[in-house]
Amino acid sequence: MRSTISARIADQLRSDIRAGAFSGDGRIPTERELAARFDVARNTVRRAIEDLRADGLVVCHVGRGTFVAGNDGLAQLAPGAQTGAENENAAPGLAYDFVAEISPRDLIEARLMFEPAVAAAAAANATDADIQQLLRAQAGSEETEEMETFERYDAEIHRLLFAMSQNQLVIKIDEMLSAMRANADWLAAKRRAYTPALKARYVSQHKDIIEGIRMRSPKAAREAMTAHLEEVRRALLEI
């Protein structure tokens, strides 16, 4: 079982990746640098990096370091890839090498099949602490006027819903979907569609989803998520 500390570090690095914190060459800080940042031992950082590799979010090259897996968050992981020269025993991770072939239309239609059920599960399983996390992310999305910042909060809301499923396979599917949402075509479509009015509608729809979860109503959460994703489909595919 992964330690709580390494899991928390992995979660923070996932958020950093989604926020574009490692833009440019995509290089992740070294184990030594991360250990200093989080004030932990390097083997704890190593376990967190292994989790990211298993998710297909990073790729490691001997002698070069660890990098975000491509500009779109994806890459084929080479067999036997290492977590840097100092980690010779890490197992190869799961690669999402097919994602570049998935169109925005296929992605949103798949999300419509899947995420309403996730919202319903979240309504059944959410704790009070989970709901507070959702409300904080919702508040952040409402307050910002910047598209990139809004997108980070938007992604966080959806990530939290998947986490509330309390199902490890469902959580892995979210990580795959998140990687697809980071695809260049998807990001370009979102930038073209983004307006203050659209952002306001998304904020309102997120409120409806969260209210369904707060009421512990799987039906209300499912319906609100369906309405939200229908809006996303119209905004991104009918422009």
Side-chain angles (χ1 to χ4, degrees), residues 5-217:
I5 295 173
S6 68
R8 288 176 180 170
I9 291 171
D11 286 343
Q12 180 59 59
L13 292 174
R14 286 188 191 96
S15 296
D16 290 346
I17 290 169
R18 289 168 181 151
F22 308 119
S23 57
D25 66 0
R27 188 178 183 279
I28 304 295
T30 65
E31 285 184 5
R32 182 180 292 106
E33 291 167 336
L34 291 173
R37 172 185 171 185
F38 294 107
D39 193 22
V40 296
R42 287 169 62 178
N43 65 333
T44 302
V45 169
R46 190 171 299 137
R47 287 193 293 269
I49 294 295
E50 288 172 2
D51 285 347
L52 298 182
R53 286 191 50 184
D55 296 340
L57 293 178
V58 300
V59 61
C60 307
H61 300 286
V62 176
R64 292 183 56 214
T66 302
F67 296 80
V68 175
N71 291 335
D72 57 0
L74 309 165
Q76 175 83 29
L77 295 185
Q82 305 293 319
T83 321
E86 52 201 355
N87 185 14
E88 299 179 353
N89 298 317
L94 173 65
Y96 300 138
D97 56 319
F98 61 89
V99 171
E101 303 171 7
I102 306 299
S103 70
R105 183 175 300 277
D106 285 348
L107 175 55
I108 189 59
E109 289 179 355
R111 291 181 66 192
L112 270 161
M113 295 175 194
F114 198 75
E115 289 194 51
V118 169
N125 295 326
T127 65
D128 290 343
D130 290 332
I131 292 170
Q132 289 305 309
Q133 285 186 288
L134 278 173
L135 291 173
R136 285 193 291 271
Q138 171 69 5
S141 73
E142 190 167 3
E143 291 168 2
T144 186
E145 299 298 331
E146 297 180 354
M147 182 264 189
E148 291 79 7
T149 304
F150 174 77
E151 285 296 327
R152 289 199 294 271
Y153 283 117
D154 184 335
E156 178 68 2
I157 289 169
H158 287 268
R159 185 193 70 78
L160 288 167
L161 295 177
F162 275 84
M164 289 175 206
S165 71
Q166 300 179 17
N167 182 302
Q168 289 303 307
L169 178 57
V170 171
I171 292 169
K172 291 295 182 185
I173 291 171
D174 171 50
E175 291 166 0
M176 180 177 65
L177 291 174
S178 294
M180 292 180 186
R181 291 174 65 185
N183 178 273
D185 290 343
W186 184 257
L187 288 171
K190 288 195 287 188
R191 289 191 182 97
R192 288 194 300 271
Y194 185 84
T195 65
L198 179 64
K199 178 237 177 179
R201 291 198 296 275
Y202 284 177
V203 166
S204 177
Q205 290 156 10
H206 286 154
K207 283 183 178 178
D208 291 341
I209 295 166
I210 295 169
E211 180 62 14
I213 292 167
R214 191 189 66 78
M215 294 188 303
R216 307 296 200 274
S217 171

